[in-house]
Amino acid sequence: MVVADLHVHTTNSDGTLTLAEVPPAAREAGVRVVGITDHDRLHPDLRTPVAHVGGVTLVHGVELRVESDAGRVDLLGYGARRTDALADELERLQRDRIERARRIVERVEAETGVSLDVSFEPGVGRPHVARAIAESDAPYDAQGAFDHLIGDGGPCYVPRDVPSFERGAALLDDACGLVSLAHPLRYDDPGSALALTAELDGVEYRYPYGREVDLRPVERAIDEHGLVVTGGSDAHDRTLGRAGLDREEYRLFRDRVRLSR
C-alpha cells in the first residue's frame, strides 16, 4: 500500500495540480504524504521543509537536472529550505528554461507552419509546448509532439544549460535533508547513473517505469552505499499513488531526513 508518493509535480512547474488541489487528490488515492518536487523550482507557498495541509503531509522538495559522467540525470532534494546559493541557481535555470522554450516554439512553428500558444514564464518546459502543439492544427498529440518534434534529438529539440552533478548535489545537500537519484533505470546507462549514488543519500526505488525492469542493480546500490529508498509516481497529472513508499519505507525515509538536518 502506497503511503507516501514522493515525486509529484504541480502547476509551479509542468504538473496539472495546484498546491491546494494536492491534498484532496492525495486523500482520494489513500496517500498520506506527498513530496512536491517541481522541476528546478521550490514552491513559493511552502515556507517550511514539511507542512501539514488538509490531513496530508507535504514534503517540500525539488527535482534538479544535472550533467554527469553518466549523462544528464535528475536529482531529488527533500526537506528543502531556501538558501541563497540554491535560489540563485534556480533563478538562472528558470531564465534558461524561458529562453529555451522560446527557441523550441520558434522551431516548431517553422517546422509545422502552426502558431503555438505558450506562456513564457518561470516553470515552462517541454510538456507545456507539447500541450500547445496538441491543441494546435499540427497533426500530433502531446506524445507525438515529443516523438516527432521536441524529444531529445528531434528536429525542434533545444538542450538546456544545467549545472554539473557536483555543483547540483552540493547545492541540494546544503538546502535539503536528503538527496536522491531519480528513476535510475530510465537513463541510457543505468549502471553509470547508479554509480553516482555513492555521493548521494538515496535512490528512487519505487517508480512506475511502464515496463518490466530488473531492480537488482538498484538493490545492489542500496546495499553497497547504505541508501535510503525513495519512490513516487512522477505525477504530472491529477492521479497520485501509482508508486511510492509503504509505511515502513516512509518511516525510514522520514527518520533519515530528520537526522540529516
Side-chain angles (χ1 to χ4, degrees):
M1 177 181 176
V2 173
V3 170
D5 185 340
L6 297 178
H7 194 160
V8 172
H9 301 280
T10 73
T11 53
N12 188 49
S13 62
D14 56 355
T16 55
L17 287 170
T18 66
L19 187 65
E21 292 172 324
V22 169
R27 292 194 300 269
E28 183 177 351
V31 171
R32 299 182 180 180
V33 183
V34 176
I36 304 298
T37 55
D38 289 318
H39 295 286
D40 303 327
R41 294 193 85 185
L42 296 174
H43 201 291
D45 294 331
L46 289 174
R47 302 295 183 181
T48 56
V50 178
H52 303 283
V53 181
V56 175
T57 298
L58 301 181
V59 180
H60 194 189
V62 61
E63 184 171 9
L64 184 68
R65 180 154 296 180
V66 297
E67 188 73 60
S68 74
D69 292 340
R72 293 194 169 190
V73 301
D74 294 319
L75 303 180
L76 294 163
Y78 292 106
R81 57 185 176 81
R82 286 167 175 78
T83 64
D84 290 342
L86 180 59
D88 289 347
E89 180 63 15
L90 296 183
E91 288 177 10
R92 184 192 71 80
L93 288 171
Q94 292 308 318
R95 292 193 298 270
D96 180 72
R97 275 181 168 272
I98 292 170
E99 178 57 29
R100 179 209 196 197
R102 290 186 191 279
R103 293 171 61 193
I104 291 175
V105 167
E106 289 172 357
R107 293 187 180 189
V108 171
E109 291 180 339
E111 180 80 12
T112 64
V114 303
S115 179
L116 301 183
D117 182 13
V118 176
S119 296
F120 300 110
E121 56 189 21
V124 67
R126 282 187 293 175
H128 296 93
V129 179
R131 292 168 195 158
I133 293 170
E135 294 168 359
S136 75
D137 293 330
Y140 305 108
D141 60 12
Q143 186 57 53
F146 273 95
D147 293 341
H148 299 284
L149 295 173
I150 65 174
D152 294 4
C156 304
Y157 173 73
V158 176
R160 291 174 48 210
D161 181 14
V162 302
S164 68
F165 170 79
E166 292 77 13
R167 174 166 170 73
L171 288 170
L172 293 181
D173 188 58
D174 286 343
C176 302
L178 186 146
V179 184
S180 175
L181 176 69
H183 40 63
L185 302 181
R186 275 184 48 178
Y187 306 118
D188 291 337
D189 186 352
S192 294
L194 283 165
L196 300 170
T197 60
E199 306 300 325
L200 303 176
D201 306 306
V203 65
E204 193 165 46
Y205 181 66
R206 308 291 185 189
Y207 187 83
Y209 288 101
R211 55 183 171 85
E212 287 192 18
V213 295
D214 180 1
L215 289 168
R216 288 176 295 180
V218 186
E219 292 165 355
R220 287 194 292 269
I222 291 169
D223 291 340
E224 181 177 355
H225 303 304
L227 302 173
V228 174
V229 167
T230 68
S233 61
D234 200 359
H236 291 75
D237 57 11
R238 309 182 76 83
T239 303
L240 307 187
R242 287 188 294 263
L245 305 186
D246 62 24
R247 188 183 304 276
E248 179 61 18
E249 289 168 336
Y250 173 64
R251 184 187 68 79
L252 295 172
F253 167 87
R254 181 197 62 201
D255 291 348
R256 181 68 172 267
V257 171
R258 182 182 301 146
L259 290 172
S260 298
R261 293 197 56 76

